[in-house]
Amino acid sequence: MTAYANLHLAFEQMRVRARRAERRDAAEQDGTGPDNAIGLIQQGGGGGGGSGSGGGGGASGGDDDEDEEPPRVLIVGPEHSGKTTACKLLVNYAVRGTAACSPLYVNLDPSDGGFTIPGTVSACVIDSPLPTSSPANPLGITATSAPTALSSSKLTPLVHWYGHTDVKKNAGLMEHLIRVLNEECQERLEIDALARTSGIIIDTPANFTAVPMQDKFALVKAAVYAFRVNVILVIGNEKLTVEMQKIFSSEEAKGQSQRPITVLKIPRSPGVVDLDSAYCERAQAHQVKNYFYGSPLQLPPELAAAFTSAGGREGQGLSGLNLGGEAAAMDLALSPHSSVVSFDDLTIYRIGQDSFAPSSALPIGASRALGEMQPVKIDPSQPGQGIVNIVLAVLSLTEAPEMDIEEAILDADVLGFVVITSIDTENNRFTVLVPSAASLAGRVALTGSIQWQEA
């Protein structure tokens, strides 16, 4: 924990300098400060402490500008090394500080679900601590259960559909989603001065540094250059630390990032344990179930016993107990709907094929007829489409555009998720499980490899 505390202090100094620069620039433009939240900055924390926060001060004005950047942190490391835990620690330290702080949490790990379900990449501005009471909710309770103990979940996160739990499944699509997610995050940061000066914390999967592309670090570079990362934290891997330092100290990397990038190694937490694949699959299935059915609000055993003793003095004292703004006895279970949808109402696409043969297996001079990022329309009336018990992501598109259909579908964010439970080919309709009774007519959905079957 000492390493994370030292990192937090260094990041706080970077935030202080960024906020001072924000106020100074705003004063030079129109003579007024930016948002009232920026005025909450504590002046006492602005000393130039010694922790390495990004490349040493130089004498030129350009170096001063680089020192005034907020922390934009990318965390990488081997499997089961505690990357998500490190992200949550740094975010919770930031929001609990004396100064107002709302960092942007970016989840690029499609295997842990993040704010919604597995198979997604997402981002959300965090303004309150992230609790972890269950592996089914790694970043608190999903937005479908809001309001809950996590006030940030009242804000619907920005979510894009990747469709798989392994980034190696379609590394090209993941690289595209990183750029799209960054563009939308920058639009949010442009209108939110507090979030802009609070920085970005980026979580990544284990195989983020070993993708099957010409450059195995292609996704790392895409994330670093897109989000303008200035600090890379490597958890418990000396070899990976040396490789990151070598890559981002080269002249090519300096030319693309246009700012120094600090690579730091932090020790692996002694509480981290290795998880087998069976446990991860159960946790992912539990995340999908919680999205549709919610989860009860569990009290500690002592409080639960006192609360249920209605006639006792202790029970009467806890009769008005609230937890995170919710009544303690409130059951947060949800009631999804089972709806019958016509084939014509919901248009379903799949990105690329289910599996691709390696390029070396193709005949000499031949190329794939279907690209890895090409949306393919699915006809539910045809057998063997493989969409029963498959999670579908309902996009923000109301209908498939005639022009630039590939770009529109790939760039669209997600409104919610549904599961097709059965198909009636005779009547051209299927039954879907949806979180609410909203109509799906005219909607566009994407399928992937995320399966879930109600037990």
Side-chain angles (χ1 to χ4, degrees), residues 88-161:
K88 288 188 288 187
L89 280 173
L90 295 176
V91 168
N92 289 345
Y93 278 154
V95 299
R96 287 172 174 165
T98 56
C101 187
S102 296
L104 178 66
Y105 189 109
V106 178
N107 177 47
L108 299 181
D109 186 358
S111 64
D112 69 355
F115 297 100
T116 53
I117 66 173
T120 61
V121 293
S122 56
C124 185
V125 175
I126 306 298
D127 58 9
S128 63
L130 292 170
T132 301
S133 58
S134 167
N137 301 309
L139 299 181
I141 302 177
T142 60
T144 53
S145 301
T148 60
L150 175 61
S151 62
S152 292
S153 66
K154 298 177 183 178
L155 306 176
T156 303
L158 175 65
V159 180
H160 283 271
W161 181 246

Side-chain angles (χ1 to χ4, degrees), residues 17-208:
R17 291 192 289 267
R19 289 167 183 165
R20 286 178 175 173
E22 182 84 13
R23 290 188 299 173
R24 183 186 66 242
D25 295 341
E28 292 176 354
Q29 291 179 2
D30 53 14
T32 60
D35 291 346
N36 54 358
I38 301 300
L40 298 176
I41 183 66
Q42 298 290 333
Q43 297 292 339
S51 294
S53 58
S60 64
D63 292 338
D64 293 340
D65 293 339
E66 291 169 354
D67 291 338
E68 293 173 349
E69 294 283 343
R72 291 185 285 268
V73 186
L74 180 76
I75 299 182
V76 297
E79 189 175 13
H80 308 311
S81 59
K83 296 181 292 298
T84 302
T85 300
C87 291
K88 288 188 288 187
L89 280 173
L90 295 176
V91 168
N92 289 345
Y93 278 154
V95 299
R96 287 172 174 165
T98 56
C101 187
S102 296
L104 178 66
Y105 189 109
V106 178
N107 177 47
L108 299 181
D109 186 358
S111 64
D112 69 355
F115 297 100
T116 53
I117 66 173
T120 61
V121 293
S122 56
C124 185
V125 175
I126 306 298
D127 58 9
S128 63
L130 292 170
T132 301
S133 58
S134 167
N137 301 309
L139 299 181
I141 302 177
T142 60
T144 53
S145 301
T148 60
L150 175 61
S151 62
S152 292
S153 66
K154 298 177 183 178
L155 306 176
T156 303
L158 175 65
V159 180
H160 283 271
W161 181 246
Y162 174 65
H164 315 285
T165 58
D166 188 356
V167 296
K168 294 182 179 180
K169 187 79 173 182
N170 195 337
L173 177 60
M174 174 60 71
E175 186 175 5
H176 176 80
L177 292 179
I178 290 174
R179 296 191 179 95
V180 173
L181 187 64
N182 167 70
E183 293 175 358
E184 295 174 339
C185 289
Q186 295 305 322
E187 293 179 1
R188 167 63 188 270
L189 296 180
E190 287 179 1
I191 61 176
D192 190 342
L194 179 59
R196 182 168 62 249
T197 56
S198 298
I200 305 175
I201 306 295
I202 306 174
D203 188 15
T204 63
N207 47 16
F208 207 65

Side-chain angles (χ1 to χ4, degrees), residues 92-407:
N92 289 345
Y93 278 154
V95 299
R96 287 172 174 165
T98 56
C101 187
S102 296
L104 178 66
Y105 189 109
V106 178
N107 177 47
L108 299 181
D109 186 358
S111 64
D112 69 355
F115 297 100
T116 53
I117 66 173
T120 61
V121 293
S122 56
C124 185
V125 175
I126 306 298
D127 58 9
S128 63
L130 292 170
T132 301
S133 58
S134 167
N137 301 309
L139 299 181
I141 302 177
T142 60
T144 53
S145 301
T148 60
L150 175 61
S151 62
S152 292
S153 66
K154 298 177 183 178
L155 306 176
T156 303
L158 175 65
V159 180
H160 283 271
W161 181 246
Y162 174 65
H164 315 285
T165 58
D166 188 356
V167 296
K168 294 182 179 180
K169 187 79 173 182
N170 195 337
L173 177 60
M174 174 60 71
E175 186 175 5
H176 176 80
L177 292 179
I178 290 174
R179 296 191 179 95
V180 173
L181 187 64
N182 167 70
E183 293 175 358
E184 295 174 339
C185 289
Q186 295 305 322
E187 293 179 1
R188 167 63 188 270
L189 296 180
E190 287 179 1
I191 61 176
D192 190 342
L194 179 59
R196 182 168 62 249
T197 56
S198 298
I200 305 175
I201 306 295
I202 306 174
D203 188 15
T204 63
N207 47 16
F208 207 65
T209 56
V211 294
M213 303 176 71
Q214 292 183 352
D215 184 0
K216 68 176 183 178
F217 297 112
L219 294 183
V220 175
K221 293 180 179 179
V224 168
Y225 300 145
F227 288 95
R228 298 184 299 165
V229 170
N230 50 17
V231 178
I232 299 177
L233 299 182
V234 183
I235 300 182
N237 193 309
E238 183 67 32
K239 179 180 178 182
L240 184 59
T241 304
V242 173
E243 290 178 333
M244 292 292 102
Q245 291 174 342
K246 180 180 180 180
I247 291 173
F248 295 104
S249 63
S250 63
E251 295 299 328
E252 179 183 357
K254 291 180 180 179
Q256 294 193 41
S257 64
Q258 297 180 353
R259 59 183 51 83
I261 299 176
T262 302
V263 179
L264 300 175
K265 178 191 173 185
I266 56 178
R268 174 175 171 171
S269 174
V272 175
V273 297
D274 293 332
L275 304 176
D276 57 17
S277 58
Y279 174 85
C280 295
E281 291 176 358
R282 291 196 304 269
Q284 292 167 359
H286 198 29
Q287 290 173 3
V288 179
K289 180 181 178 180
N290 275 21
Y291 175 83
F292 288 101
Y293 289 96
S295 60
L297 190 62
Q298 300 290 344
L299 288 175
E302 297 80 5
L303 291 179
F307 187 79
T308 53
S309 59
R313 180 181 307 173
E314 204 172 12
Q316 292 178 357
L318 292 175
S319 59
L321 177 65
N322 290 333
L323 179 61
E326 298 292 339
M330 180 179 180
D331 188 4
L332 295 182
L334 304 178
S335 299
H337 295 257
S338 183
S339 304
V340 178
V341 181
S342 172
F343 288 173
D344 297 331
D345 291 341
L346 185 63
T347 306
I348 304 176
Y349 286 86
R350 176 185 287 116
I351 304 300
Q353 296 177 338
D354 289 336
S355 60
F356 286 94
S359 300
S360 58
L362 297 176
I364 298 176
S367 60
R368 293 190 179 99
L370 185 63
E372 296 180 358
M373 295 174 55
Q374 180 179 350
V376 180
K377 188 175 181 180
I378 295 178
D379 185 2
S381 63
Q382 298 297 323
Q385 295 296 332
I387 58 176
V388 178
N389 297 326
I390 295 293
V391 178
L392 303 181
V394 181
L395 304 181
S396 57
L397 299 175
T398 54
E399 59 182 8
E402 297 180 359
M403 302 298 294
D404 298 330
I405 181 174
E406 295 184 10
E407 182 178 356

Side-chain angles (χ1 to χ4, degrees), residues 422-433:
S422 64
I423 296 181
D424 184 2
T425 55
E426 295 182 359
N427 298 315
N428 291 333
R429 60 187 184 182
F430 37 60
T431 304
V432 297
L433 182 69

